[in-house]
Amino acid sequence: MALKLKGIPYEYVEEDLRNKSQLLLQYNPVHKKVPVLIHNGKPIAESLITLEYIDETWKNGPPLLTQDSYKRAKVRFWPSFVQQENMLLMIKSDGKAQEKAIKVVFEKLKLFEEGMKDFFQGDTHHIDGENMGFLDIVLCSLFGAHKAQEEALGVKFIDPEIYPPVYSWVTALTELAVVKEFRPPHEKLVEILQFVRQCPPIFCSLSSS
């Protein structure tokens, strides 16, 4: 999505996480997970690092991060705070362990919502296909499939009555053409989540992008 927003041509290679290719193991031997960006023959792994690399390398197109160093630091903070690991634990666990993971996600969502109010200082965050930024992409990646997540888990966690700003933000993002272009069909998302829920930890090497 970031490459699309920047107008950067690229080749997309889909990876079968049940049978990881030698290419993936070669370019990401440490974590062995997707996504991996290969630029000039050199790999860049981890979603958040890749987004920053794209923004720093290609100055054409809309900037993903603000030039204000303080705001840029705050934007970088929130994705690492929400953490995909909590989402993955919520998907893969059952019983009390899942209840605990869900509670952690809920608590972090509430703090994230409060932090966003401070970040935008009460202003409306207008989103369109031209001004999506770093945090928009991350939020879309984490919660854009919330309906599929709810179906796969049987748990509702992006509730408009509990988290109205986050819900409105995610809803606005999922209506954008650029997001719809890259989002897999609902049925496929549910299938992927069910696979992640059932597969052994060694195979569940999936990043948040």
Side-chain angles (χ1 to χ4, degrees), residues 25 30 55 93 125 140 146 151 172 174 176 181 198 200 202 206:
L25 299 179
V30 178
D55 200 39
S93 59
H125 179 44
C140 187
H146 69 94
E151 182 174 331
T174 55
L176 296 176
E181 179 181 349
Q198 296 170 6
I202 191 172
L206 177 66

Side-chain angles (χ1 to χ4, degrees), residues 124-191:
T124 301
H125 179 44
H126 174 69
I127 306 169
D128 59 39
E130 300 298 325
N131 75 337
M132 282 185 71
F134 184 92
L135 205 53
D136 296 311
I137 295 173
V138 172
L139 191 74
C140 187
S141 177
L142 285 174
F143 303 120
H146 69 94
K147 291 183 179 179
Q149 292 165 338
E150 290 166 2
E151 182 174 331
L153 294 176
V155 176
K156 189 176 185 67
F157 61 94
I158 302 291
D159 193 317
E161 295 183 3
I162 301 176
Y163 310 107
V166 173
Y167 180 83
S168 298
W169 191 357
V170 171
T171 301
L173 286 169
T174 55
E175 291 301 314
L176 296 176
V178 66
V179 175
K180 290 181 178 179
E181 179 181 349
F182 291 103
R183 186 175 59 195
H186 176 81
E187 294 75 16
K188 185 174 182 179
L189 285 169
V190 173
E191 182 183 343

Side-chain angles (χ1 to χ4, degrees), residues 46-105:
E46 299 299 310
S47 298
L48 302 183
I49 294 172
T50 302
L51 285 177
E52 291 189 41
Y53 178 86
I54 290 171
D55 200 39
E56 292 170 359
T57 302
W58 290 283
K59 299 302 182 182
N60 52 302
L64 302 181
L65 284 162
T66 175
Q67 294 302 306
D68 184 294
S69 57
Y70 176 69
K71 287 187 176 182
R72 190 165 62 247
K74 291 194 71 175
V75 167
R76 286 169 168 156
F77 166 79
W78 285 111
S80 60
F81 172 78
V82 175
Q83 291 182 0
Q84 190 218 6
E85 285 74 14
N86 294 313
M87 303 278 294
L88 185 61
L89 182 59
M90 185 175 69
I91 292 170
K92 292 192 63 60
S93 59
D94 291 295
K96 290 185 178 180
Q98 188 183 58
E99 289 177 10
K100 183 178 179 180
I102 290 171
K103 183 179 179 181
V104 170
V105 171

